[in-house]
Amino acid sequence: MGIPRLTRHLRPFSEAVLLEGRLQKRQDGVGHVHSVVIDGPSLVYHVFWRLLSWTDSRTEFPDAQPTCSEVSCGVMIYLLLLTITGVKIERICFDGALPSEKRKTRLLRLEKSRRKIELLRLKPQSALQNSSGYSGKRAIALENILQGRALPARYNDLPENPFMVPAVFEDLKLRWNKENIVTAARDALYMQSIEIKDFPWADITVMVPGEADAYCAYFAKCTNSSILTNDSDLLLHDLGPRGSLIFLNSVEVVGWDPHRPSERQIRAMSLSPALIARRLGVTDILRFAFELKTHPDAGTAELVQRANSSCEGSENTPEYQAFIQEYQQSMHGFEATNLQSLPHLDARVSELFWQFEWRQGHMVPDAPHMYLAVLNEDHARRCAWAEGRLYRSLAYSVLNASRPVSNRVGFINEFARRGGRIAVDKVVLGNENWIMTETGVLLVRLRSVQNKVEVDTALPAYWIMFALCELHDADSSLVTLDHARLSRFLTLGYMNENFDWKDMQLTAQIQAVLYSLRILGQLLESSMDTCDNMAELKSILSNLPPLHMIMGPTPSMMDETLNISCVSALVHRLLQGLGKEENCSEIPDAVGFTKQQLFSYSLVSQQDGSRVGNHRPRKINNMYDFLPME
């Protein structure tokens, strides 16, 4: 969140360093950083803006916006380069909760995102662009990640991808094993073989039960490591006498030669709070920062004078104590917290979880809060989060019912877009009987859709079909449900001749349904209920696609395993099941695909591996490949 202008005052005291852990590559006369702690969200946003800055400035929204998968791939290449350079990554920390006093900041961020989408909606229709069949898999080059470039002015107000941080967290845990890393990074690094262990960052990637800043500082101090971040606030934490901070936007690769990749250097600028304090002549950087926050227009010399003249009397003032409290969080008992044993939750779900788990530190006075990101949606229509609300209510109720009766609440406050503002929606929670009833209803619903489309739940295509059924039931006049337009949407990303806001809205609605189910799946995993229905629902929801796929272009989810003919057959079955299509004689691609053939295909896809961290499933191009092997 940062103190404005702090970096500008302190940057002149930075020193050049090399990020280098290989002894034979070290140089005299320059500092070397051989171990780092990484501020996870800061790295994700840094990679996002780097990728965007290298985007062809003629590209329009939403194609210009790097997808979750692209950002994840960029982060992976960044970490891989550090790893093969011998730099030890001690921890990659992600925010798991924010204190209740920062509620205003959360709402301001949501409003900022909402406003960006609103401004896009006001532009002419020609300002939208969706390439035919674009799959969200642009080439990721090393220079696009580790070399700076000015952001084209037209992208200054482009909205950030709302789910890229939790998608990267999940991928570091479950997607980036050795095989997937080598496959994705071989071209970017021009290396035929990469020596790296399986899932190299899974164990060091942690979702902390609070803000990442304090934990980054704690780990860095314990391991004598530098912190990689773009958040200047970390300079104000206790990093120890030798602690330092490296701004991500100062890190660059120099001397890169594709034919001699091992000869590269990673240069950066390092800031040491203890050293800066000595050079400024102040006892503590915190005093300097407090004066800057109080007198934002003052120059460096004046701030130093104020910090020294007030050092004796300011310690006990309420204003100063309130200021330093954020940067001197007590870490007592932290050593006993086994972060790896905590449930794997998205940041938003984690924040809700900790409001129940640590009520004093995270619970707001009235009720727990859930902040729903602003999706890429049509601002002129109802918020896409209206879809899937029942499943989120079920998820919150499961979490609530897992608490002692005295600690339960009656409702959750959801914050989401409503028209042209961010508003609160009071979600009333159900009791155990309601939970059991709705769990049974959802199971019936999941089985019913599977019977209609005859595709296994392990396939991403099944979940698209499920979401479309949900949207149809909510609005039976849904105009998209005719064969030609729906098939076109699922294969190309748009229903008519050109991509428009209707396509974007439908994509957002599908994402809202699937993410609501994801919330339910995660909170079911953290509950101890073992009844048959709960166990079955957990098992089915565990087949949901990974987040980088859910929040990517719809055609990319279908493209994971199905070719155009298969999509046409699925659409036909879906519309027949909904009573929208009686005759398939005019749909040649749908003829001849029997239930047994589609079911056999789904089994083949499962065997080839359609889950995170496995091989990409074999795509079927020949209809005879659907036939079961004898």
Side-chain angles (χ1 to χ4, degrees):
M1 296 165 189
I3 297 175
R5 305 183 184 182
L6 178 62
T7 304
R8 190 186 71 179
H9 285 281
L10 301 185
R11 193 179 295 277
F13 299 95
S14 61
E15 296 183 340
V17 295
L18 289 179
L19 288 164
E20 180 61 77
R22 300 168 297 178
L23 293 176
Q24 70 275 18
K25 296 292 183 180
R26 296 192 179 183
Q27 299 178 1
D28 295 332
V30 62
H32 293 81
V33 173
H34 55 82
S35 67
V36 295
V37 172
I38 299 178
D39 177 354
S42 193
L43 176 59
V44 172
Y45 276 91
H46 174 72
V47 169
F48 173 87
W49 290 112
R50 278 282 170 92
L51 291 177
L52 183 60
S53 71
W54 286 92
T55 299
D56 187 332
S57 60
R58 295 169 296 180
T59 308
E60 301 285 357
F61 180 80
D63 276 5
Q65 185 187 65
T67 67
C68 290
S69 186
E70 291 168 352
V71 174
S72 179
C73 188
V75 169
M76 178 273 293
I77 291 173
Y78 197 109
L79 298 177
L80 179 61
L81 187 62
L82 290 177
T83 301
I84 62 179
T85 306
V87 177
K88 184 179 181 182
I89 303 172
E90 298 286 353
R91 289 290 192 280
I92 308 170
C93 298
F94 286 79
D95 304 293
L98 289 178
S100 57
E101 57 266 23
K102 293 197 174 180
R103 171 188 171 190
K104 183 178 179 180
T105 302
R106 298 299 303 275
L107 295 176
L108 288 173
R109 287 179 174 177
L110 283 177
E111 171 57 25
K112 183 179 179 181
S113 298
R114 184 207 65 78
R115 180 59 178 162
K116 286 183 176 182
I117 294 292
E118 182 180 46
L119 291 175
L120 280 172
R121 184 64 177 89
L122 295 175
K123 291 183 178 180
Q125 181 68 37
S126 59
L128 289 180
Q129 178 183 17
N130 184 279
S131 303
S132 178
Y134 176 66
S135 62
K137 296 173 184 173
R138 76 183 81 190
I140 308 295
L142 182 67
E143 57 269 23
N144 295 0
I145 303 163
L146 280 150
Q147 288 185 6
R149 188 188 189 197
L151 183 71
R154 66 177 312 185
Y155 293 149
N156 285 337
D157 293 324
L158 192 83
E160 296 91 346
N161 195 309
F163 284 91
M164 59 186 178
V165 173
V168 169
F169 175 80
E170 178 182 51
D171 285 356
L172 291 176
K173 289 284 191 182
L174 302 173
R175 178 186 184 187
W176 295 122
N177 60 8
K178 181 176 181 179
E179 182 176 1
N180 288 339
I181 289 170
V182 171
T183 300
R186 183 185 292 118
D187 293 338
L189 296 180
Y190 297 92
M191 300 175 70
Q192 294 305 310
S193 63
I194 299 172
E195 294 300 323
I196 196 168
K197 68 177 184 179
D198 210 26
F199 292 104
W201 309 295
D203 292 339
I204 59 174
T205 299
V206 292
M207 180 79 70
V208 302
E211 289 187 274
D213 291 11
Y215 291 85
C216 284
Y218 174 84
F219 285 125
K221 184 178 180 180
C222 291
T223 59
N224 289 321
S225 300
S226 294
I227 299 176
L228 280 175
T229 183
N230 274 333
D231 186 355
S232 61
D233 268 9
L234 271 160
L235 285 166
L236 307 182
H237 287 268
D238 180 12
L239 306 184
R242 293 186 294 172
S244 64
L245 182 148
I246 295 174
F247 285 118
L248 289 161
N249 54 25
S250 76
V251 179
E252 289 201 342
V253 169
V254 294
W256 173 253
D257 183 352
H259 302 291
R260 303 174 65 190
S262 63
E263 298 303 314
R264 82 266 158 185
Q265 288 184 339
I266 307 177
R267 294 182 182 175
M269 301 302 292
S270 174
L271 288 166
S272 170
L275 181 60
I276 292 173
R278 289 197 298 271
R279 289 182 175 178
L280 284 173
V282 297
T283 58
D284 195 332
I285 283 292
L286 275 171
R287 296 184 186 280
F288 181 88
F290 175 70
E291 293 299 332
L292 175 60
K293 186 174 183 179
T294 309
H295 306 90
D297 296 325
T300 302
E302 180 183 347
L303 292 171
V304 170
Q305 182 181 9
R306 286 181 175 275
N308 288 328
S309 62
S310 62
C311 64
E312 295 182 0
S314 66
E315 287 187 359
N316 296 320
T317 63
E319 295 81 8
Y320 184 70
Q321 289 300 316
F323 172 76
I324 66 174
Q325 184 178 3
E326 178 180 348
Y327 308 106
Q328 295 182 344
Q329 297 180 26
S330 173
M331 302 301 288
H332 63 83
F334 171 68
E335 295 84 348
T337 302
N338 185 355
L339 297 178
Q340 293 299 332
S341 67
L342 298 177
H344 290 175
L345 306 173
D346 294 343
R348 292 171 181 82
V349 184
S350 173
E351 185 166 5
L352 180 64
F353 174 84
W354 287 111
Q355 288 178 64
F356 281 88
E357 193 74 12
W358 286 354
R359 296 177 65 88
Q360 291 183 343
H362 297 292
M363 183 74 82
V364 292
D366 46 357
H369 287 180
M370 181 67 170
Y371 300 92
L372 297 175
V374 178
L375 296 166
N376 293 337
E377 60 180 342
D378 185 351
H379 211 78
R381 299 183 62 185
R382 185 176 70 162
C383 178
W385 286 115
E387 316 300 339
R389 187 180 187 276
L390 174 62
Y391 302 137
R392 297 196 303 277
S393 177
L394 179 57
Y396 306 153
S397 299
V398 167
L399 175 61
N400 192 48
S402 69
R403 307 288 117 178
V405 175
S406 60
N407 290 340
R408 295 179 187 177
V409 297
F411 61 93
I412 298 287
N413 281 329
E414 271 193 348
F415 288 86
R417 181 184 69 83
R418 182 182 296 167
R421 62 192 177 95
I422 300 298
V424 61
D425 180 20
K426 182 177 177 179
V427 181
V428 178
L429 305 183
N431 58 23
E432 286 88 343
N433 290 335
W434 182 85
I435 291 172
M436 294 307 300
T437 299
E438 292 302 324
T439 298
V441 171
L442 177 54
L443 281 172
V444 170
R445 179 73 169 153
L446 290 164
R447 298 187 197 109
S448 172
V449 173
Q450 187 173 9
N451 290 335
K452 287 175 183 175
V453 299
E454 299 161 359
V455 172
D456 195 271
T457 59
L459 279 180
Y462 165 82
W463 296 101
I464 295 286
M465 297 296 109
F466 179 86
L468 289 171
C469 286
E470 291 292 292
L471 298 178
H472 174 265
D473 282 1
D475 180 7
S476 59
S477 63
L478 193 63
V479 69
T480 58
L481 288 181
D482 68 71
H483 189 280
R485 281 189 288 179
L486 190 52
S487 295
R488 188 178 179 88
F489 173 78
L490 294 175
T491 53
L492 300 178
Y494 48 89
M495 293 174 277
N496 299 311
E497 291 302 316
N498 296 300
F499 181 79
D500 60 27
W501 285 97
K502 290 181 181 178
D503 304 306
M504 191 172 295
Q505 184 68 15
L506 180 57
T507 299
Q509 289 173 314
I510 291 171
Q511 291 172 344
V513 171
L514 297 185
Y515 192 74
S516 298
L517 290 173
R518 179 181 171 91
I519 294 174
L520 175 57
Q522 290 192 348
L523 292 180
L524 279 173
E525 287 293 337
S526 65
S527 74
M528 301 301 293
D529 201 319
T530 57
C531 71
D532 290 344
N533 276 356
M534 287 289 191
E536 184 179 357
L537 185 56
K538 283 183 186 180
S539 176
I540 294 175
L541 293 181
S542 69
N543 286 327
L544 276 164
L547 193 55
H548 75 263
M549 200 180 292
I550 291 176
M551 293 300 167
T554 301
S556 69
M557 276 187 69
M558 303 298 291
D559 186 54
E560 282 296 311
T561 47
L562 303 178
N563 69 0
I564 293 176
S565 296
C566 305
V567 171
S568 182
L570 278 181
V571 170
H572 169 67
R573 293 190 182 280
L574 173 67
L575 296 183
Q576 273 197 326
L578 297 175
K580 293 282 186 177
E581 193 164 272
E582 300 295 334
N583 191 345
C584 67
S585 60
E586 297 181 0
I587 310 168
D589 285 337
V591 177
F593 290 93
T594 67
K595 176 178 180 179
Q596 181 62 38
Q597 289 166 346
L598 282 171
F599 181 69
S600 299
Y601 169 70
S602 69
L603 291 180
V604 169
S605 299
Q606 282 182 274
Q607 292 166 0
D608 283 349
S610 61
R611 304 302 301 146
V612 177
N614 293 331
H615 295 288
R616 177 185 172 89
R618 177 172 64 94
K619 187 186 292 187
I620 303 298
N621 294 306
N622 187 332
M623 65 175 289
Y624 293 103
D625 289 342
F626 276 90
L627 298 175
M629 299 294 291
E630 295 184 352

